[in-house]
Amino acid sequence: MRHPTPHMKAALSIALLLLFLAVIKLPASGCAAQASTGASEGQVRNSQVSSLSRQQNPQEANHTRIPRLVNRSKRVRRFYGEKRTQLTRKDLLIAIPSTSSRLPLVHGSRAWRRNVPTFISTETGSDAAALTRQAASEGEPLERYGEWREASACKKAGDVRAGVTPFLAAHLHGYDNFKWMLYGDDDTVFFVDNALDMLEELDHNMPYFLTDHLWFPDQFDGQPVEAHRKMHPNRSAPRCLPCGYQDPLHASNGTSSHVPRGSYKAPEGCPCTLETLCRAADNAGYWGPECEWLKASYPGMWYFEHGGAGAILSVGLFRHPKLKWAKMEKLFNVDGGVSGDAQFMAAVYQEAALLPTDPGYGFYRPQVTLFDPGWRGEQTKGPEDSEWGVVDLGNDPATIVERLQNSLSEGYCGKDCEDSLQHMLTTHIRARYLAGQVLPNSVQSGTGGFVDEQQATVHLQHKLATLFQRYIEQKGLQRG
């Protein structure tokens, strides 16, 4: 047998190697392939980081590549961590103070509060039991009425009733039968799907008083509060952020270039108290050496939530030992002498030392207000605003209608527009000051230059509910 030469051995080795590579299908240039794969993975990681940055910082978002700037389901995971609870409409309770003469507005609100348990307070003698039975006969079995006395208040009758309504509603509905209460006027519209999404990651057992629409003086310099204009919403009004809030614009040390100019660094409130606001490390001395400036704003007098903008209250608030119904029932037997929304905040602050919490998303985003946003600048509407020197920066349902219509027709209405529509929680109709194309001619025939308030309110309740339902269906954001 002929022995193989060195050349034959080399050729055989090469042939065997090529056969082996063919069988296992490795590329001939293994190192180059590994380097290429590594670069590809790096590119993917960089792309993911870039995409996340665009989502986290709306100012840098790519408007053309992200037609829906914020997907709410992504937002809650990013801001509050892992999901805790899947909320439904049955976890909510709507509380509306009203009166017999304004029942058409209550009935109109059915358009936006479908399938949500609702409590309406009316004046003594209105026969709440009969109204509840009538609602059931009209296909509204979740609508319940209760009575509270009429009172001669600071500005108008019914202010005491407006202040006590949340406590009365929680007491009659039962603390084990809801997690969150949506509290607003009878001409306030809540966008329930947005509210469910925002609330899902908050602990309803924490005593939360949620709003970002607060009355507060336009300056705060230690001078008498009466010397300054009062405005709402005032982005510099004191508030906390939710417990465990994880906004990417909220740096770990509490500082951020996105903090509104002239404001403070809102601390996490677990819960939000005067002590929390005054003693937060980043805010020491902001309200005066002993926090005397904040105390001088008289929470419940010049510093309170705007009732028309609404607020969201946790069941944990009503379970607070100092806010039990037996105590509140006695407290509200006396007229507080101020508006109902102010009386409610005064009770919460004076009895339990609790103050409002901002839901968070709009605190670092000046283009976003969650409760009753507005885009028309400073407005003074009606004698009540003029007499008290009030500047209203909200109350703009007409622009919400226009933005919803634009988004529905074009598929996208701009970054800030979409951001606002997907996060707004309420709007205050205040129809007597509305006019123009947002209302049909049939409701613009009132006297004194004003529209027919009740007809206009009901028209807008239905219009807003219909447009918003179409909008969330188009975006795939409905909550069932």
Side-chain angles (χ1 to χ4, degrees):
M1 181 176 182
R2 183 180 176 182
H3 295 286
T5 67
H7 293 290
M8 293 174 65
K9 290 182 178 179
L12 180 61
S13 298
I14 292 173
L16 290 173
L17 176 61
L18 290 174
L19 178 63
F20 174 75
L21 292 175
V23 170
I24 65 173
K25 298 183 180 180
L26 283 177
S29 182
C31 292
Q34 291 172 4
S36 174
T37 301
S40 176
E41 291 174 350
Q43 290 168 0
V44 170
R45 286 194 296 270
N46 291 338
S47 175
Q48 291 172 340
V49 170
S50 176
S51 175
L52 181 60
S53 298
R54 286 195 300 271
Q55 293 175 24
Q56 290 180 339
N57 188 349
Q59 303 294 336
E60 299 175 2
N62 185 320
H63 300 187
T64 59
R65 296 185 62 188
I66 308 179
R68 285 185 292 155
L69 176 67
V70 178
N71 183 294
R72 296 178 314 189
S73 63
K74 293 179 181 177
R75 183 202 73 193
V76 295
R77 285 196 296 271
R78 188 169 73 239
F79 290 1
Y80 302 106
E82 293 300 318
K83 288 193 173 185
R84 297 177 187 154
T85 313
Q86 182 69 33
L87 291 177
T88 71
R89 282 167 163 73
K90 297 299 176 63
D91 295 313
L92 305 178
L93 173 62
I94 295 169
I96 303 174
S98 191
T99 183
S100 297
S101 63
R102 292 172 65 89
L103 286 180
L105 279 64
V106 172
H107 297 159
S109 69
R110 292 170 178 171
W112 60 261
R113 56 180 175 84
R114 297 191 318 275
N115 301 321
V116 182
T118 302
F119 176 84
I120 300 103
S121 65
T122 56
E123 74 278 10
T124 300
S126 60
D127 197 347
L131 291 172
T132 301
R133 291 194 299 271
Q134 180 183 344
S137 70
E138 295 170 348
E140 296 292 335
L142 300 178
E143 187 173 293
R144 180 179 182 179
Y145 291 78
E147 297 180 10
W148 194 261
R149 69 180 181 86
E150 198 76 24
S152 298
C154 178
K155 277 295 171 187
K156 53 190 175 185
D159 279 341
V160 173
R161 185 170 62 254
V164 76
T165 290
F167 300 107
L168 181 60
H171 169 68
L172 293 178
H173 191 70
Y175 304 113
D176 294 330
N177 296 324
F178 74 101
K179 293 183 173 70
W180 297 97
M181 180 184 293
L182 313 185
Y183 167 45
D185 290 351
D186 53 17
D187 61 346
T188 302
V189 171
F190 277 86
F191 301 102
V192 176
D193 293 78
N194 284 359
L196 282 170
D197 189 77
M198 183 272 291
L199 293 170
E200 196 165 65
E201 303 310 312
L202 296 180
D203 182 1
H204 60 273
N205 294 306
M206 182 71 64
Y208 277 130
F209 174 4
L210 299 172
T211 183
D212 65 351
H213 194 124
L214 294 159
W215 286 60
F216 203 66
D218 64 344
Q219 299 181 51
F220 209 82
D221 51 13
Q223 298 300 314
V225 177
E226 294 84 346
H228 300 304
R229 294 187 310 166
K230 276 66 68 178
M231 63 170 53
H232 66 90
N234 190 332
R235 299 189 71 87
S236 294
R239 82 283 301 270
C240 297
L241 292 174
C243 191
Y245 188 67
Q246 299 173 17
D247 194 314
L249 301 185
H250 177 60
S252 58
N253 62 359
T255 62
S256 172
S257 61
H258 298 274
V259 173
R261 181 175 177 271
S263 186
Y264 57 95
K265 302 174 185 68
E268 290 183 25
C270 305
C272 187
T273 65
L274 185 70
E275 186 74 11
T276 305
L277 289 173
C278 294
R279 303 305 178 196
D282 293 314
N283 296 313
Y286 186 88
W287 303 109
E290 299 299 325
C291 212
E292 64 271 15
W293 294 359
L294 178 53
K295 296 174 184 176
S297 69
Y298 305 113
M301 179 65 74
W302 299 115
Y303 164 36
F304 58 95
E305 91 287 357
H306 181 51
I312 299 181
L313 315 169
S314 69
V315 70
L317 182 76
F318 299 103
R319 286 175 170 156
H320 193 286
K322 295 187 177 180
L323 296 176
K324 294 293 187 181
W325 170 244
K327 190 169 188 177
M328 294 299 101
E329 186 177 21
K330 294 179 181 178
L331 181 68
F332 282 92
N333 271 326
V334 178
D335 187 351
V338 291
S339 61
D341 43 15
Q343 291 192 46
F344 173 77
M345 178 155 169
V348 171
Y349 171 69
Q350 292 171 11
E351 300 300 322
L354 296 172
L355 290 170
T357 294
D358 189 309
Y361 187 77
F363 185 76
Y364 294 111
R365 297 166 179 82
Q367 77 277 15
V368 175
T369 299
L370 305 185
F371 291 83
D372 193 30
W375 298 271
R376 299 181 184 273
E378 296 186 0
Q379 305 176 78
T380 298
K381 296 181 175 180
E384 62 269 38
D385 286 356
S386 299
E387 182 175 346
W388 291 103
V390 173
V391 174
D392 189 344
L393 296 172
N395 186 215
D396 196 2
T399 297
I400 293 178
V401 167
E402 293 168 2
R403 289 184 165 208
L404 286 169
Q405 289 174 330
N406 289 340
S407 183
L408 286 167
S409 63
E410 302 296 329
Y412 181 66
C413 62
K415 176 180 71 68
D416 289 350
C417 174
E418 295 289 338
D419 207 10
S420 179
L421 293 178
Q422 292 189 25
H423 293 89
M424 63 184 182
L425 300 177
T426 70
T427 187
H428 187 200
I429 292 179
R430 212 178 181 193
R432 60 188 177 277
Y433 301 117
L434 284 173
Q437 295 181 354
V438 72
L439 297 176
N441 292 333
S442 60
V443 300
Q444 295 195 58
S445 57
T447 60
F450 296 133
V451 300
D452 183 313
E453 180 180 359
Q454 292 200 4
Q455 287 189 37
T457 299
V458 173
H459 171 81
L460 279 175
Q461 286 171 326
H462 284 267
K463 193 176 190 73
L464 285 161
T466 300
L467 289 172
F468 183 68
Q469 183 63 32
R470 288 175 54 201
Y471 175 80
I472 59 175
E473 289 176 356
Q474 184 185 87
K475 305 294 182 183
L477 298 173
Q478 66 269 34
R479 292 294 304 260

